[in-house]
Amino acid sequence: MDSFKPHSSHWGAFYGRHQGEALEIRPHPNDPHPSPLLGNLPAIAKSPARIRRPAVRRGWLEGKPDNAGKRGSDGYVEVSWPEALDLVANELRRVHTEAGPKAIFGGSYGWSSAGRFHHAQCQIHRFLNVLGGYVRSVNTYSSGAAMVIIPHVLGPYDSFDRKSVTWEAIERSSELIVAFGGMAVKNTDVHGGGISRHVVRPALSGARARGARFVLISPLKDDIAGDLDAEWLPVTPGTDVALMLAIAFVLVSERRHNREFLDHYTTGYPRFEAYLLGREDGLEKSPQWAASICGIAADTIVDLARRMANARTLITVSHSLQRADHGEQPVWMGIVLAAMLGQIGLDGGGFSYSLGALGNIGKSQLAVPLPTLKQFYNPVPDFIPVARIADMLLNPGEPFHYDGQALRYPNIRLVYWAGGNPFHHHQDLNRLRQAFKRPETIIVHETAWTSSARHADIVLPATTTLERDDIGAADRDPMMIAMKRLIEPVGEARDDYEIFADIAERLGKRGEFTENRSSREWLAFLFETTRAALTAAGRPVPDFETFWEMGELQLPVKPDDGGPARAFRTDPDANPLPTPSGKIEIFSETIESFGYDDCRGHPRWFEPDPTAKAAEGHYPLYLVCNQPHSRLHSQLDYGAFSRSTKINGREPVRINPADAKERGISDRDIVRLFNARGSCLAAAVISEDVKPGVMQLATGAWFEPDDADAEIAMCIHGNPNILTRDAGTSQLAQASTGQLTKVDVQRYAGELPPVRVLDGMAFLSDRAHRAGSCRKS
């Protein structure tokens, strides 16, 4: 392709070239539906938001006793690389000497690169483990509740349902797809490690052309592709479990449930049925009961249950449902409902969690392993569920429960973050701002001046994927890509690997960290993992240099054999599930033994948390805080495509016409969303695709407070996490509940503040730097 070079990203493979001031991007020619998110990439080369030199926060550099309270509002001084690296090494040495590695939190959240080597999460964990370990986090913001409940009920999170139902099976066999939370096609534009072919749209269209029917259960009409002619059931947010229970009630009442499957493949069903039919608590979970909760008519529920029993039915549950109070319950109940239909393991039937949440879920598995950078052993036992970082920083030593364990929050004195932006992922940003003022030191590797960088003490400029060579490859994508550097590093940005290697050298650990390999040597070494597996399978495979010259390599995939679910259904004795019973656990003795009042031994309907209900009861509107279509999380919010979707510099918030009329709001008005936790500005978009009583504001706008020194600030850019509640789903998973919150909205009548967070950083003078040179001693 002339001078174009191959590369990859989380939103697709592509070719690029940099000529003069312009970075030109072309999608991979074999991708049938390339993502528009590729349009954000050209801004990387010249955005003023990029971090070009190491910088240190003034108050920290001057060593003022109360300096941590100025994080988020303090000024920064640019310094040289040697000085910055010395400061980092000295801080790590000090904290290790005074408190040990258990006082260091290694923050990272992936998504930093589609490359297998230059992946910030792997690099920082490897580095900290070389130094003696760190306090880690477990699970993800996206699926924290599911990652804990699924292993109790089915088996390892990424092994059972995610590898049992493929898009090919849906296209050839599914008759009815009931999507709780939807299958938003925009989400399938992305996947960690990259996507060479976006296949979801044609697969869904093929299933619909064959006669498959789709039912969307969501407050948002566009949570499924518009050309599927899906039946939309606009459920009240957070009530899907009540609807599922009512469907199950109909199946039992009309004897449409599959008793043979339940008896042979599950355990604990009779105890669940006693609850379902009201024998346990005197309350039948009937369609009439559910209708008043979920907003779906009882007759509609009965009709849906009958159709599900009479068709090859696939039940899907999205990430969104378990990112709410008691988020474990809809995942567990979806599995139970599929078991009652008796279709788990059938081609195109049964249950799949998060199908449509990521681009490669539903594709066939690879037949060979991928290159993986070893991270070494972490001897520090302390950890937190990833969404409990503010709790940890604010409450050191306090007890908490997680998955049957009684734990305590560690006392963190230093936070080292590389990859990810907690001021995007986390909830209740005003609370997070206060939490980030607690540690003695915060060190961040960043590519741009995000809020995470603006709350750090030492900021080290990292390269983006476009500024380095790497190997692109992802589970369930059959193409390995030579990710060739497209642009020179911006400013003085350096690869994470080089940064960590130089800090390790100052601490006497360079050889241990690098194993005496350069970045290029590491790529050849890691490639050998896949090359050796291909050779052992008798497949022709090039050496690394030949692969690098070729630019890409097709990888073999396993046949679509129905995965673990099919194997279990075919012979449950030979292929038992890795659960205590070897079966699907409708009732879990293990979970019941934990004694949690917010997650019992079988799925059930929980009323909203009383504390949350009291705090939010007088705010009349639900706010759905979902993933954006214009970027991945908050990445490249400064890119052209992301900016093109903003209105007057603000994120768009969708409002039903009835709710807008009641408040005197017109299309494109700037509005203020608010509750007891904070407020934000956004631009109104009036839409019938949002259920009355519901608004939708995507996450990912870079947080910009109107007053960085205020305890309760307003985000003038439109970050909804200023409004969301920072509480765990339950004591079982302690996962994020950031998908839903309660708010009100009004037209903004004041002088509109300008959005400047995407414009970069102004630095203090050299004189201020010299005045604070005491930190260097």
Side-chain angles (χ1 to χ4, degrees), residues 541-585:
V541 57
D543 60 20
F544 174 74
E545 294 301 332
T546 304
F547 155 70
W548 196 255
E549 183 66 26
M550 293 166 52
E552 59 188 50
L553 177 66
Q554 287 293 130
L555 302 177
V557 298
K558 295 179 180 179
D560 183 8
D561 60 2
R566 181 77 49 78
F568 172 63
R569 184 186 186 96
T570 300
D571 192 339
D573 296 323
N575 304 293
L577 299 181
T579 61
S581 64
K583 298 180 178 182
I584 299 168
E585 302 247 333

Side-chain angles (χ1 to χ4, degrees), residues 85-199:
L85 296 172
D86 286 344
L87 289 171
V88 172
N90 289 340
E91 276 302 283
L92 288 169
R93 185 182 295 112
R94 179 186 68 82
V95 174
H96 267 269
T97 299
E98 295 177 1
K102 67 181 184 299
I104 296 175
F105 180 72
S108 184
Y109 197 62
W111 291 111
S112 60
S113 170
R116 302 296 294 183
F117 176 65
H118 290 294
H119 186 263
Q121 189 174 64
C122 294
Q123 294 287 347
I124 187 174
H125 292 169
R126 178 183 173 91
F127 169 74
L128 293 175
N129 283 336
V130 164
L131 300 186
Y134 62 99
V135 175
R136 72 193 194 280
S137 62
V138 298
N139 306 327
T140 70
Y141 280 93
S142 296
S143 53
M147 295 178 84
V148 177
I149 192 65
I150 286 177
H152 284 291
V153 181
L154 291 176
Y157 169 73
D158 203 34
S159 295
F160 192 87
D161 60 286
R162 280 189 166 201
K163 295 182 178 176
S164 293
V165 182
T166 64
W167 295 112
E168 290 88 347
I170 292 171
E171 189 170 5
R172 66 177 171 252
S173 299
S174 298
E175 296 174 344
L176 181 64
I177 296 94
V178 182
F180 288 94
M183 293 190 295
V185 177
K186 66 177 174 61
N187 295 338
T188 67
D189 278 344
V190 303
H191 194 96
I195 308 172
S196 61
R197 286 176 56 83
H198 291 84
V199 302

Side-chain angles (χ1 to χ4, degrees), residues 270-604:
R271 296 185 68 169
F272 168 75
E273 186 179 273
Y275 165 78
L276 181 71
L277 300 182
R279 295 196 296 268
E280 176 188 308
D281 59 1
L283 179 64
E284 293 183 339
K285 313 310 179 292
S286 67
Q288 292 73 26
W289 164 81
S292 62
I293 297 172
C294 68
I296 306 300
D299 289 347
T300 301
I301 298 172
V302 172
D303 176 67
L304 177 59
R306 291 170 178 169
R307 285 186 285 148
M308 292 171 69
N310 292 332
R312 177 64 59 86
T313 298
L314 175 64
I315 294 171
T316 70
V317 173
S318 70
H319 278 338
S320 60
L321 298 193
Q322 50 88 69
R323 284 173 38 84
D325 286 338
H326 306 103
E328 299 86 356
Q329 303 305 311
V331 179
W332 197 354
M333 188 59 216
I335 295 168
V336 171
L337 195 54
M340 293 177 69
L341 293 173
Q343 296 196 29
I344 292 176
L346 295 180
D347 196 57
F351 171 82
S352 183
Y353 169 70
S354 73
L355 191 67
L358 294 167
N360 291 338
I361 296 175
K363 289 184 178 180
S364 296
Q365 300 175 61
L366 293 178
V368 293
L370 295 176
T372 302
L373 179 66
K374 182 169 61 176
Q375 298 180 30
F376 300 123
Y377 170 68
N378 182 1
V380 176
D382 295 340
F383 70 91
I384 60 166
V386 69
R388 302 274 57 79
I389 183 172
D391 284 355
M392 174 186 70
L393 297 178
L394 290 169
N395 304 298
E398 290 297 309
F400 71 98
H401 291 275
Y402 168 77
D403 198 15
Q405 303 172 68
L407 304 169
R408 289 186 180 275
Y409 289 118
N411 184 13
I412 298 301
R413 296 174 60 178
L414 185 149
V415 173
Y416 202 140
W417 208 289
N421 176 9
F423 282 83
H424 158 70
H425 291 290
H426 204 71
Q427 288 71 63
D428 194 349
L429 293 183
N430 280 316
R431 184 171 187 258
L432 184 66
R433 291 167 64 225
Q434 299 309 310
F436 262 58
K437 295 177 180 180
R438 295 299 182 91
E440 296 167 10
T441 301
I442 297 176
I443 304 165
V444 167
H445 295 199
E446 252 295 6
T447 65
W449 282 103
T450 65
S451 285
S452 297
R454 293 167 186 262
H455 284 79
D457 301 311
I458 305 174
V459 182
L460 303 180
T463 55
T464 68
T465 174
L466 301 186
E467 296 153 75
R468 57 201 182 211
D469 292 336
D470 211 334
I471 298 174
D475 184 28
R476 287 168 282 188
D477 190 89
M479 184 181 291
M480 181 179 287
I481 297 172
M483 296 172 58
K484 300 186 179 183
R485 187 166 73 175
L486 300 179
I487 62 175
E488 293 300 312
V490 172
E492 297 178 16
R494 300 178 63 189
D495 299 345
D496 294 299
Y497 176 70
E498 295 175 357
I499 297 171
F500 286 128
D502 282 351
I503 298 170
E505 182 173 12
R506 285 162 166 78
L507 298 171
K509 297 285 187 177
R510 185 183 186 95
E512 191 174 344
F513 175 73
T514 66
E515 299 184 38
N516 299 315
R517 293 188 183 97
S518 66
S519 294
R520 178 72 172 203
E521 290 168 336
W522 268 113
L523 297 185
F525 177 79
L526 296 176
F527 178 77
E528 183 64 19
T529 300
T530 304
R531 193 203 66 80
L534 289 168
T535 300
R539 293 178 176 271
V541 57
D543 60 20
F544 174 74
E545 294 301 332
T546 304
F547 155 70
W548 196 255
E549 183 66 26
M550 293 166 52
E552 59 188 50
L553 177 66
Q554 287 293 130
L555 302 177
V557 298
K558 295 179 180 179
D560 183 8
D561 60 2
R566 181 77 49 78
F568 172 63
R569 184 186 186 96
T570 300
D571 192 339
D573 296 323
N575 304 293
L577 299 181
T579 61
S581 64
K583 298 180 178 182
I584 299 168
E585 302 247 333
I586 292 178
F587 184 93
S588 169
E589 296 285 358
T590 300
I591 294 177
E592 183 72 7
S593 73
F594 296 159
Y596 299 150
D597 59 2
D598 52 3
C599 189
R600 302 286 300 279
H602 61 70
R604 61 179 66 217

